[in-house]
Amino acid sequence: RFVVRQYGEPPAFCHRKTLTCWGHATGIRELQETLQSRLRNAPPGSYTKRLFDDPDLLRQKLVEEAQELAEATDADHVAAEAADVLYFAMVRCVAAGATFEQIESHLNRRSLKIQRRPGNAKQSRTDAANKILKDAQAEKAAKAGAEEAGKSGSVTAGSAVAASTTASSQRVTYMGPIAAAAAIIFILQGLRQRL
């Protein structure tokens, strides 16, 4: 078995400067190419560039979108949330210099394992994710409380604190990182079969 690596800008095999003779990449590969392009030269105001420049925001969005995927119920909503998770996951990968080909390689190696770990969630990761979600909810509630108070004519520190306190006292449920990773791997395997 041998592997052909295509180089160039964009990586191209065909004389049309495309990866294949059948046109430009689509799906995950198109997303990867777009993100790599944004990393090198993003247009002004690019949200993707903002994510590259703000690792904390990217981390928060990854956790948020994984939670939304866990909570989605119907097939279309699950697919939409999975697309969001894949986008933010690929932004993280491109920022780190990882490629979809490397992800596929890891998936292929894992599928060959004979013995597997139990796959339980790591409590420290779950606790950290819960804190991120709780803080994000509190911030959102504080902003909403401040906006509501502003509409009524007065914004006080008390109204924002009350909104923040209410949000932070709510119970946050979270799909553990292992379960989220398993969901992402499942989605990527399905996409790989289509590509």
Side-chain angles (χ1 to χ4, degrees), residues 4 6-7 10-22:
V4 175
Q6 298 180 24
Y7 297 97
F13 174 78
C14 180
H15 70 283
R16 298 183 196 178
K17 297 263 188 221
T18 59
L19 193 62
T20 71
C21 294
W22 295 277

Side-chain angles (χ1 to χ4, degrees), residues 52-160:
F52 284 135
D53 293 343
D54 189 347
D56 189 51
L57 173 62
L58 178 55
R59 182 174 49 87
Q60 290 173 358
K61 291 302 293 181
L62 276 165
V63 171
E64 174 189 322
E65 296 301 337
Q67 177 67 26
E68 290 176 3
L69 175 59
E71 294 170 353
T73 53
D74 67 81
D76 188 60
H77 189 204
V78 169
E81 294 302 338
D84 290 344
V85 169
L86 289 173
Y87 165 75
F88 289 105
M90 286 304 297
V91 169
R92 177 66 188 108
C93 290
V94 169
T99 65
F100 187 67
E101 290 76 16
Q102 288 173 295
I103 295 168
E104 286 178 321
S105 176
H106 281 278
L107 289 171
N108 290 337
R109 278 192 303 241
R110 288 176 187 170
S111 71
L112 298 175
K113 281 187 176 181
I114 295 173
Q115 196 168 30
R116 294 184 176 17
R117 297 181 302 172
N120 299 329
K122 296 176 184 170
Q123 191 60 46
S124 63
R125 293 291 185 184
T126 301
D127 291 345
N130 281 335
K131 182 180 181 332
I132 291 169
L133 287 168
K134 188 176 178 180
D135 292 348
Q137 284 182 337
E139 183 179 329
K140 190 175 184 179
K143 285 181 182 175
E147 286 175 9
E148 189 60 36
K151 289 178 185 174
S152 67
S154 65
V155 177
T156 65
S159 62

Side-chain angles (χ1 to χ4, degrees), residues 152-187:
S152 67
S154 65
V155 177
T156 65
S159 62
V161 170
S164 177
T165 304
T166 302
S168 64
S169 65
Q170 293 175 350
R171 184 170 187 273
V172 177
T173 56
Y174 175 69
M175 175 172 78
I178 300 299
I184 292 169
I185 288 168
F186 177 77
I187 293 164

